[in-house]
Amino acid sequence: MHALNQPRRAEDALEDLKAGLGAHAVLTGADVPARNCNDWSAQLPRRPLAVVRPVDATGVSQTVAACRAAGLPFVPQGGMTGLCGGATPEAGWVAISLERMTGIEEIDTASATMTVKAGTPLEVVQNAADAAGFLFPLDLGSRGSCAIGGNLSTNAGGNRVIRYGMTRDLVLGLEVVLADGTVVTNLNKLLKNNAGYDLKHLFIGSEGTLGIITRVVLRLFPKPRSTMAALCALSDYDAVVTLLGEARNGLGSNLSAFEVMWPDYWQVVTERIGVRAPVGSGHGLYVLVETHGSDEAADGARFQAWLEGMMEQGVLADAAVAQSHAQTQAFWAVRDACAEFGQVLGPHVSYDIGLVVAHMDAFATRCKTALSAGIPGCESVYYGHIGDGNLHLVAWVPGLAIEQQPKAAMDAIIYGLVRELGGSVSAEHGIGTMKKPWLGHARSEPEIALMRTLKTALDPDNLLNPGKVI
Amino acid sequence: MHALNQPRRAEDALEDLKAGLGAHAVLTGADVPARNCNDWSAQLPRRPLAVVRPVDATGVSQTVAACRAAGLPFVPQGGMTGLCGGATPEAGWVAISLERMTGIEEIDTASATMTVKAGTPLEVVQNAADAAGFLFPLDLGSRGSCAIGGNLSTNAGGNRVIRYGMTRDLVLGLEVVLADGTVVTNLNKLLKNNAGYDLKHLFIGSEGTLGIITRVVLRLFPKPRSTMAALCALSDYDAVVTLLGEARNGLGSNLSAFEVMWPDYWQVVTERIGVRAPVGSGHGLYVLVETHGSDEAADGARFQAWLEGMMEQGVLADAAVAQSHAQTQAFWAVRDACAEFGQVLGPHVSYDIGLVVAHMDAFATRCKTALSAGIPGCESVYYGHIGDGNLHLVAWVPGLAIEQQPKAAMDAIIYGLVRELGGSVSAEHGIGTMKKPWLGHARSEPEIALMRTLKTALDPDNLLNPGKVI
């Protein structure tokens, strides 16, 4: 007689899944695609035991049940564009890929919502909203590859958080498969719904460690009817803080981006990458200001008048206003040129940290000094979405391969300063495995203990994406 | 020898607290104030064993420890303005009142944040933001009495959710005392912070059942420089849905209120309460549209032009535009007149439900018919924030005292229809004890089971506000 709870062999569990979901839904051995072995965080690829590709929540639930029966850890996967290892499998794990769970289920124009399967690429979501006369405002460089479910699981940010919020703020409801296989359907479409605990926030931003998101209800927004952009040069950071306050007050809720670039960033982009900039070099700081408006007639004049006021008050040293869509794109090219750092800087390490606005410049100055003093030859450049409290920086020692870059020493200097200034070790990329050693620099022991309480409550057997985040 | 875990007598635990917090911090017996015995939900008052009034999180933690030692249930209390019994104690409980934990700790103008103690009245928060040159947009009728911590624990809504979001959307960080007495300090000031699970959302909207909020970091917004308002009459609900879509598109993010009133509401307000309305009776529906803008010069002309367009397209049957602040207030008086229902309608039962926009009118029509058919003499009126999916209704049988009103029969009819239409039994008031029997009408079994998992994980001894919500 077999004991009822005797674990199933892994091979048998996978055979069960092939029988239940179809053979093409279960890939093993040499059939495991390279894309499912790693995310964009440049770690070494890890080949899972199997990749399972269900087509709905029921299939995900069946997969979870099979994994549990055999005691196999499992990890949910979307577009694999994460930067911290949150979706990377380990040897012996089952990767549950949502790549076949794509498509828009409904657009409710009266409620301004879209219901979509979690594996749908962000760009498909954006285009569907656009075709229905709406804007879905989340936008990232990886828009063509990343999946909306992955955007939720990392609570992705992007350039327009100052206007539209993080991914979390764009979600009204979701469907999730728990670590025990239960399907929880919470496809709420209401802005106001206080009927018990708001469960969706547990799963948004928890990097696939508390549940597997399978469907999502998103908020849609009116399409902007005007976009204005200016590239501004300022003498110092005090002027930047003043400009931010004046932008909030003078441009109101139209303010859609406030991107700050330090001179080292500017130099790399204009001199080494060769992007043509509409204002000259030699200034203290640079800011790209953008608005999304709904009044085509008045927005341009208003933006121009606001900028002129800033010039007259001496807040700005120089500024250029985009006169066309092409010029707006050219201004953004300065900010987006960081995507080409790999080509011109060579191997480098990217950081994504959070700081209050008042500390940004002190951090940039002190960090640059500490890196070059502590690590011979280390260079660094600084830029970010400062209105959201988000600073990006890139550090590198010229001439070293990526595996030779002194990342541990950089981490220690950078995250040490983050801790000292009360900041966050991850503004938008998440924790995954790569930032786990530094979580304690941004979160207190009681906070981390509470995260553990939640993880244990929702995944007592620690089979769902174990070892990630905490 | 005493067993180590032997419970302390309740009297001894309260004496310990008097010694630790000061005698004036612990009120018992006849000293328990009436205000701590009930909220605004018109249930019978319940006298707790004691009211404890700490001055900080450490004092709250000590109180929790004393309660636990004696096995006493405890309930956090703010302004006691809740409508569902969430803060009402039971006999033998300890009420932990935050009434002495008041005051603004910091306003960070560069980050546009305010750090405030949880017992601070909402109106004090609003005024402090205003004095610092900002807007804190949450606004409710009980602003002078309700505490900001209570606003968080119920995830309060209000009139301007369509523009600024629910309370949840206005919070960046908090400090909370857990059911085991641990103080978790998470006073984040960053819009973007993905360092581990976002813990604050656990405590916002969980009605004091998962932790006691002691301090809060709030988002501040630019003050609007213009307010425009129009009271509109429309022929039918299709026109209302069209107007909402056109308002989102044409007024963009300036749209700050979209309040719909059905003819029965209009009749009570204009004929029985006697509010002077700027448009005539006899229309199918009425909408109060308001914008908050940042361009004093252009906003008025733009609002006027938008309204004229709606008239020309036949969306509006009639409309009046406020020409002054006094007129804007007069328009709001029509919408706010529901506060006077008690005087003119006599005893009545108020409901706060959530529905998708497309179902609102069908609900109002069917509900009115079902109530008058199912309950002899039952009358009802309908109004709400429809852009947020929130409908309010009031039902009553004229001449009956509040305890004679057939609330159970009304509940069954109203919440039965809510379930049928996939709505929510609570848009903004919460569940507390009053709506607990109906939670299953808005949440599935797996959702409620997951709520129970969270409650058990965070309060395994079920001493923190037990029996509320779930």
Side-chain angles (χ1 to χ4, degrees):
Chain A
M1 236 179 104
H2 288 286
L4 270 175
N5 287 328
Q6 190 177 350
R8 227 152 143 61
R9 288 173 55 235
E11 294 74 14
D12 296 339
L14 294 174
E15 286 306 316
D16 291 351
L17 278 177
K18 282 183 188 172
L21 302 177
H24 57 292
V26 183
L27 307 175
T28 55
D31 292 337
V32 167
R35 76 177 287 280
N36 298 95
C37 298
N38 206 355
D39 65 7
W40 288 6
S41 64
Q43 299 180 101
L44 292 177
R46 317 284 176 98
R47 182 170 295 275
L49 179 67
V51 174
V52 182
R53 304 180 300 178
V55 295
D56 57 19
T58 305
V60 172
S61 177
Q62 286 176 268
T63 310
V64 167
C67 291
R68 294 182 62 81
L72 298 172
F74 47 99
V75 53
Q77 294 189 333
M80 302 304 290
T81 60
L83 295 167
C84 295
T88 303
E90 298 285 338
W93 291 20
V94 172
I96 304 179
S97 173
L98 275 63
E99 65 202 85
R100 295 204 297 157
M101 293 170 62
T102 59
I104 314 295
E105 293 200 340
E106 185 207 42
I107 293 179
D108 178 339
T109 53
S111 294
T113 62
M114 177 192 292
T115 306
V116 59
K117 293 178 186 170
T120 310
L122 172 59
E123 197 167 36
V124 173
V125 172
Q126 292 173 335
N127 292 343
D130 186 70
F134 290 96
L135 172 74
F136 181 66
L138 180 66
D139 194 34
L140 315 169
S142 61
R143 67 186 70 82
S145 309
C146 62
I148 188 69
N151 297 146
L152 264 75
S153 73
T154 54
N155 186 31
N159 292 330
R160 296 194 174 91
V161 170
I162 199 169
R163 165 74 185 267
Y164 299 101
M166 301 288 279
T167 298
R168 182 184 300 285
D169 303 304
L170 310 176
V171 177
L172 292 174
L174 47 74
E175 177 186 71
V176 66
V177 178
L178 301 183
D180 68 359
T182 306
V183 180
V184 180
T185 304
N186 175 227
L187 294 171
N188 169 62
K189 290 161 71 173
L190 309 172
L191 281 187
K192 286 180 168 177
N193 190 349
N194 281 342
Y197 306 162
D198 194 326
L199 300 170
K200 66 178 175 285
H201 289 296
L202 266 181
F203 304 102
I204 301 171
S206 54
E207 302 182 47
T209 62
L210 298 179
I212 302 174
I213 296 167
T214 50
R215 284 192 290 171
V216 187
V217 182
L218 300 169
R219 290 180 70 176
L220 302 178
F221 293 77
K223 281 189 200 184
R225 295 187 179 182
S226 73
T227 299
M228 304 294 151
L231 206 46
C232 308
L234 299 93
S235 60
D236 57 31
Y237 192 70
D238 284 349
V240 171
V241 174
T242 301
L243 187 70
L244 176 61
E246 294 289 339
R248 285 177 175 140
N249 275 312
L251 304 171
S253 54
N254 282 1
L255 181 64
S256 56
F258 193 92
E259 303 292 310
V260 177
M261 294 159 274
W262 272 258
D264 42 34
Y265 176 92
W266 192 261
Q267 193 198 358
V268 167
V269 167
T270 57
E271 295 178 18
R272 297 179 63 177
I273 301 183
V275 177
R276 275 193 59 191
V279 295
S281 295
H283 294 284
L285 284 149
Y286 302 85
V287 181
L288 174 58
V289 181
E290 187 198 65
T291 63
H292 273 184
S294 53
D295 189 350
E296 298 156 280
D299 290 339
R302 179 183 170 197
F303 189 68
Q304 187 82 39
W306 176 79
L307 272 177
E308 283 166 10
M310 291 301 98
M311 286 294 287
E312 281 163 22
Q313 291 175 40
V315 178
L316 299 180
D318 195 5
V321 184
Q323 302 296 334
S324 65
H325 180 62
Q327 284 191 358
T328 299
Q329 288 186 307
F331 288 11
W332 273 104
V334 181
R335 174 59 181 79
D336 291 340
C338 53
E340 294 169 56
F341 278 176
Q343 280 82 57
V344 298
L345 304 180
H348 61 277
V349 186
S350 298
Y351 292 87
D352 155 53
I353 64 171
L355 290 165
V356 295
V357 174
H359 291 159
M360 291 270 181
D361 190 52
F363 178 90
T365 305
R366 289 179 59 187
C367 191
K368 195 173 187 71
T369 305
L371 284 172
S372 63
I375 302 172
C378 186
E379 298 185 31
S380 56
V381 302
Y382 301 80
Y383 57 108
H385 326 284
I386 79 150
D388 315 321
N390 184 190
L391 186 71
H392 291 293
L393 77 99
V394 161
W396 73 102
V397 177
L400 296 188
I402 186 66
E403 62 275 14
Q404 295 171 318
Q405 292 286 339
K407 183 172 180 305
M410 294 171 180
D411 283 0
I413 290 170
I414 292 165
Y415 295 134
L417 266 174
V418 166
R419 175 156 68 175
E420 186 186 329
L421 294 172
S424 172
V425 297
S426 175
E428 54 182 355
H429 294 171
I431 297 295
T433 51
M434 310 247 318
K435 293 194 177 182
K436 233 178 90 171
W438 305 104
L439 184 61
H441 277 47
R443 297 294 195 198
S444 64
E445 259 315 307
E447 289 176 282
I448 294 171
L450 180 52
M451 293 181 204
R452 285 213 185 88
T453 299
L454 293 172
K455 174 65 177 172
T456 303
L458 269 77
D459 181 22
D461 302 318
N462 200 28
L463 287 175
L464 171 55
N465 212 2
K468 306 293 178 70
V469 183
I470 50 170
Chain B
M1 233 179 106
H2 289 285
L4 269 176
N5 288 328
Q6 189 177 351
R8 214 139 159 69
R9 289 172 54 235
E11 294 74 14
D12 297 339
L14 294 175
E15 285 306 316
D16 291 351
L17 277 177
K18 282 183 188 172
L21 302 178
H24 56 292
V26 183
L27 307 175
T28 55
D31 292 337
V32 168
R35 77 176 287 279
N36 298 94
C37 298
N38 206 354
D39 65 6
W40 287 6
S41 63
Q43 298 180 102
L44 291 177
R46 315 285 176 97
R47 182 171 295 275
L49 179 67
V51 174
V52 182
R53 304 180 300 178
V55 295
D56 58 18
T58 305
V60 172
S61 178
Q62 287 176 270
T63 310
V64 167
C67 291
R68 295 183 61 81
L72 298 172
F74 46 99
V75 52
Q77 295 190 333
M80 302 304 290
T81 60
L83 295 167
C84 295
T88 303
E90 298 285 340
W93 289 20
V94 171
I96 304 180
S97 173
L98 275 65
E99 64 201 85
R100 295 203 298 157
M101 293 170 62
T102 60
I104 314 296
E105 294 200 340
E106 185 206 42
I107 293 179
D108 178 338
T109 54
S111 294
T113 62
M114 176 191 292
T115 306
V116 58
K117 293 177 186 171
T120 310
L122 172 58
E123 197 167 36
V124 172
V125 172
Q126 292 172 335
N127 291 344
D130 186 69
F134 289 97
L135 171 75
F136 182 66
L138 180 66
D139 194 35
L140 316 168
S142 61
R143 67 185 70 81
S145 308
C146 62
I148 188 68
N151 298 145
L152 264 75
S153 72
T154 54
N155 187 30
N159 292 330
R160 297 193 175 92
V161 170
I162 199 169
R163 166 73 184 269
Y164 298 101
M166 301 288 279
T167 298
R168 181 184 302 284
D169 302 304
L170 310 176
V171 177
L172 292 174
L174 47 72
E175 176 186 71
V176 66
V177 178
L178 300 183
D180 68 0
T182 306
V183 179
V184 180
T185 303
N186 176 226
L187 294 172
N188 169 63
K189 290 161 71 173
L190 309 171
L191 281 186
K192 285 180 167 177
N193 190 348
N194 281 342
Y197 305 162
D198 194 327
L199 300 170
K200 65 177 177 287
H201 289 296
L202 265 181
F203 304 102
I204 302 171
S206 54
E207 303 183 45
T209 63
L210 298 180
I212 303 175
I213 296 167
T214 50
R215 284 193 290 171
V216 187
V217 181
L218 300 168
R219 289 180 70 176
L220 301 179
F221 292 77
K223 281 189 199 185
R225 296 187 178 183
S226 73
T227 299
M228 303 293 150
L231 207 45
C232 308
L234 299 93
S235 61
D236 57 30
Y237 191 70
D238 283 348
V240 172
V241 174
T242 301
L243 187 70
L244 175 61
E246 294 289 340
R248 285 177 175 140
N249 274 311
L251 303 171
S253 54
N254 281 1
L255 181 64
S256 56
F258 193 92
E259 302 292 310
V260 177
M261 295 158 274
W262 272 258
D264 41 35
Y265 175 93
W266 192 262
Q267 191 198 359
V268 165
V269 167
T270 57
E271 296 179 16
R272 297 179 64 176
I273 301 182
V275 177
R276 276 191 59 190
V279 295
S281 295
H283 295 283
L285 284 149
Y286 302 85
V287 180
L288 174 58
V289 181
E290 188 199 64
T291 63
H292 273 183
S294 54
D295 190 349
E296 297 157 280
D299 289 339
R302 179 182 170 197
F303 188 68
Q304 187 82 39
W306 176 78
L307 271 177
E308 282 165 10
M310 292 300 98
M311 287 294 287
E312 281 163 21
Q313 290 175 41
V315 177
L316 299 180
D318 195 5
V321 184
Q323 302 296 335
S324 65
H325 180 64
Q327 283 191 358
T328 298
Q329 288 187 306
F331 289 10
W332 273 104
V334 180
R335 174 60 181 78
D336 291 339
C338 53
E340 294 169 56
F341 278 177
Q343 280 82 56
V344 298
L345 304 179
H348 60 277
V349 186
S350 298
Y351 293 87
D352 155 53
I353 64 170
L355 290 165
V356 295
V357 174
H359 290 159
M360 290 270 181
D361 191 52
F363 178 90
T365 306
R366 290 179 58 188
C367 190
K368 195 173 188 72
T369 305
L371 285 171
S372 63
I375 302 172
C378 186
E379 299 185 30
S380 55
V381 301
Y382 302 80
Y383 57 107
H385 325 285
I386 80 150
D388 314 321
N390 183 191
L391 187 72
H392 291 293
L393 77 98
V394 161
W396 73 101
V397 177
L400 296 187
I402 187 66
E403 62 273 16
Q404 295 171 319
Q405 292 287 340
K407 183 173 180 303
M410 294 171 179
D411 283 359
I413 289 170
I414 292 165
Y415 295 133
L417 266 174
V418 167
R419 175 157 67 176
E420 186 185 329
L421 294 172
S424 172
V425 297
S426 176
E428 55 181 355
H429 294 171
I431 297 295
T433 51
M434 311 248 318
K435 292 193 177 182
K436 232 177 90 171
W438 306 103
L439 184 60
H441 277 48
R443 297 294 193 196
S444 65
E445 259 316 307
E447 288 176 283
I448 294 171
L450 180 52
M451 292 180 205
R452 285 213 184 89
T453 298
L454 293 172
K455 173 65 176 172
T456 303
L458 269 78
D459 181 23
D461 302 319
N462 200 29
L463 288 175
L464 172 55
N465 213 2
K468 306 292 178 70
V469 183
I470 50 170

